[in-house]
Amino acid sequence: MTIKKMTSLNITGKTVLIRSDLNVPIKNGIIQSKARILAALPTIQLAIKNNAKVIIMSHLGRPKEGCYTKKYSLFPIFEYLKKKLKQTNVYFSDDYKKSIKINSGEVVVLENVRFNKGELSNSDELSKKYSELCDIFIMDAFGSAHRMQSSTYGIGKFVKIACAGLLLISEINALKKVLKKPKRPMIAIVGGSKVSTKFNILNKLCKIADTVIVGGGIANTFLAIDYKIGKSLYEPDFVFEAKKLRDQYNIIVPIDSRVGKNFHRNEKSTIKLPINIQEDEEIMDFGDESIKNVIKIIKKSQTIIWNGPVGVFEFPFFRQGTEMIAKEIAKSNAFSIAGGGDTLSVIDMFDIQNNISYISTGGGAFLEFIEGKKLPAIDMLEKNLKLNNRIN
């Protein structure tokens, strides 16, 4: 992989357009998790320090393309950045088509790119307009690096110089470390609701990890191989595929579960063996014996890949499995790498940010990189460098 890095360029006095990943949960205008913003700051701060004219763009949520929706506005993020960059003039622009005039060392935050028609379809017209905003494009949104969209991919065809920011480089280096020469035993903990969306990554992890632990709806699909699991969330179409994986690799499935009759925040939990689960009950967390089993495995591990909670951690009575496993990962001396939106929320909830070796801002990109796929944003940076080398 040969790409140009931000740190190799002279950006003083230049207008730099930074594609950050500021896609954070916001409720009633209040940011619920600042992890991705904080991860994006070093690149922004380096650009300011070098007296560049800084323009920041990002997506937020899934608004209808081309339509402004207040709850998906980046304005609360702009207000937060203004406080964090208090020595800097920071402005907000709700129209990327307007002429953006700023001085060196100043910052403009653009409104949600998904409000722009053509963003999701990677429109050449929109990509070209983005490129006209800057001298240098800095791709720093690892969380969107698997998206072939105008602000993450298309712009690379039109901008003269496209390079990688600090976060993108650090994400790639951390993941390469895990994949190339992991210390062993290496374990992977994969949670979440659907095995279908993570089947390819499970395949890959089974081949590179010594043990794969499954949780959430994914674990339920494995449990459904041998048991009737009531009204638990699982995917019947993937039971056969799950069985093939289980029979071939070392996959750890919960041996007991916390179940409830209603999917509700105040629902009380009961611990049951899979064979005892009734038709009107659903699995929503690991049971105590399953938690003990996983903790033993974590204690012996040297490398941990963690993606997704093992239960409905948002509900207080179905949080224990995710909480105890998360805290055990944090206590471990193993090299731990965690990724995915829900995983970031868990890390925030239990305040273990400083005890995870590397926290990836990516969800889909994190999984696709581990799976061995080339991310479109990396492909764009490579092509841009080749094009520039030919021209020069």
Side-chain angles (χ1 to χ4, degrees):
M1 181 185 70
T2 307
I3 59 177
K4 194 176 284 292
K5 298 177 184 177
M6 170 194 186
T7 48
S8 69
L9 297 171
N10 178 8
I11 61 173
T12 302
K14 302 280 176 60
T15 300
V16 299
L17 177 59
I18 304 174
R19 176 45 162 108
S20 299
D21 180 11
L22 307 176
N23 182 32
V24 297
I26 297 176
K27 191 174 181 181
N28 300 321
I30 298 169
I31 298 167
Q32 304 297 301
S33 169
K34 302 177 182 75
R36 281 180 170 150
I37 306 175
L38 296 174
L41 272 174
T43 296
I44 296 166
Q45 288 167 329
L46 181 61
I48 295 167
K49 185 181 176 183
N50 280 278
N51 277 314
K53 301 169 186 177
V54 184
I55 304 171
I56 301 167
M57 64 176 174
S58 175
H59 78 284
L60 178 65
R62 297 176 183 270
K64 185 178 177 183
E65 189 184 84
C67 298
Y68 172 83
T69 311
K70 187 179 179 181
K71 76 171 183 175
Y72 294 121
S73 172
L74 257 71
F75 194 78
I77 294 166
F78 152 71
E79 290 185 310
Y80 178 75
L81 283 171
K82 201 171 180 180
K83 288 175 186 173
K84 292 296 287 184
L85 305 169
K86 53 189 173 187
Q87 305 299 321
T88 305
N89 291 328
V90 184
Y91 309 101
F92 185 75
S93 175
D94 59 4
D95 187 355
Y96 72 97
K97 294 177 185 175
K98 287 179 185 173
S99 177
I100 298 172
K101 293 181 180 177
I102 50 173
N103 298 315
S104 295
E106 294 184 335
V107 176
V108 170
V109 179
L110 298 181
E111 184 55 284
N112 191 341
V113 293
R114 289 188 177 170
F115 291 166
N116 303 330
K117 201 168 182 182
E119 168 65 19
L120 299 179
S121 60
N122 190 32
S123 150
D124 275 358
E125 183 184 354
L126 180 61
S127 300
K128 192 169 188 300
K129 283 178 180 173
Y130 286 154
S131 73
E132 290 166 356
L133 293 172
C134 64
D135 302 308
I136 298 167
F137 172 63
I138 301 173
M139 178 59 189
D140 205 38
F142 180 76
S144 299
H146 62 311
R147 305 288 188 198
M148 197 175 278
Q149 296 169 358
S150 284
S151 67
T152 59
Y153 184 83
I155 185 173
K157 289 198 291 183
F158 302 100
V159 75
K160 186 178 178 183
I161 299 172
C163 63
L166 302 180
L167 177 61
L168 187 64
I169 293 297
S170 70
E171 293 269 12
I172 292 166
N173 289 341
L175 287 169
K176 277 184 175 178
K177 179 179 176 179
V178 167
L179 296 176
K180 283 195 173 177
K181 288 184 179 178
K183 287 186 178 179
R184 297 194 179 274
M186 174 183 178
I187 69 166
I189 300 168
V190 185
S193 58
K194 292 186 176 182
V195 73
S196 57
T197 59
K198 294 187 178 179
F199 191 74
N200 289 337
I201 188 67
L202 275 174
N203 252 315
K204 174 75 174 182
L205 287 172
C206 284
K207 290 169 185 170
I208 64 171
D210 299 291
T211 304
V212 174
I213 297 158
V214 290
I218 295 171
N220 294 345
T221 301
F222 280 87
L223 286 170
I225 298 167
D226 299 312
Y227 304 102
K228 291 180 180 179
I229 53 172
K231 58 180 184 178
S232 304
L233 175 70
Y234 81 107
E235 292 181 275
D237 293 345
F238 274 82
V239 171
F240 179 70
E241 296 295 334
K243 185 178 187 302
K244 285 202 296 186
L245 275 184
R246 186 200 65 179
D247 292 348
Q248 191 175 356
Y249 298 105
N250 186 27
I251 296 176
I252 304 299
V253 178
I255 52 177
D256 62 346
S257 304
R258 282 181 165 78
V259 305
K261 294 189 176 182
N262 300 293
F263 191 81
H264 188 274
R265 178 174 181 78
N266 297 321
E267 179 73 2
K268 297 289 195 295
S269 64
T270 304
I271 298 176
K272 287 195 170 185
L273 298 173
I275 199 168
N276 296 328
I277 294 169
Q278 303 300 305
E279 284 185 14
D280 61 346
E281 293 176 327
E282 59 183 310
I283 299 167
M284 291 191 274
D285 192 15
F286 279 12
D288 289 347
E289 292 307 311
S290 299
I291 295 168
K292 286 178 189 173
N293 193 24
V294 172
I295 286 174
K296 281 180 189 173
I297 296 167
I298 292 171
K299 283 181 185 295
K300 294 176 183 175
S301 66
Q302 291 296 311
T303 303
I304 303 167
I305 296 177
W306 173 28
N307 178 261
V310 299
V312 188
F313 70 98
E314 299 91 342
F315 296 173
F317 298 105
F318 297 95
R319 183 175 294 163
Q320 194 163 347
T322 299
E323 180 175 5
M324 292 187 73
I325 289 168
K327 288 180 175 177
E328 195 61 38
I329 293 170
K331 278 180 5 188
S332 170
N333 291 322
F335 179 82
S336 54
I337 184 163
D342 283 341
T343 315
L344 294 182
S345 297
V346 170
I347 289 167
D348 277 351
M349 179 179 279
F350 303 124
D351 195 24
I352 55 173
Q353 297 90 336
N354 298 328
N355 302 105
I356 305 295
S357 306
Y358 191 84
I359 299 171
S360 173
T361 56
F366 173 85
L367 295 175
E368 288 191 18
F369 193 97
I370 290 173
E371 203 179 312
K373 291 182 179 178
K374 177 173 272 193
L375 302 179
I378 307 300
D379 183 51
M380 175 272 292
L381 292 170
E382 288 177 342
K383 285 176 178 174
N384 182 271
L385 180 60
K386 283 179 185 174
L387 182 64
N388 284 335
N389 286 342
R390 282 204 299 271
I391 292 170
N392 297 327

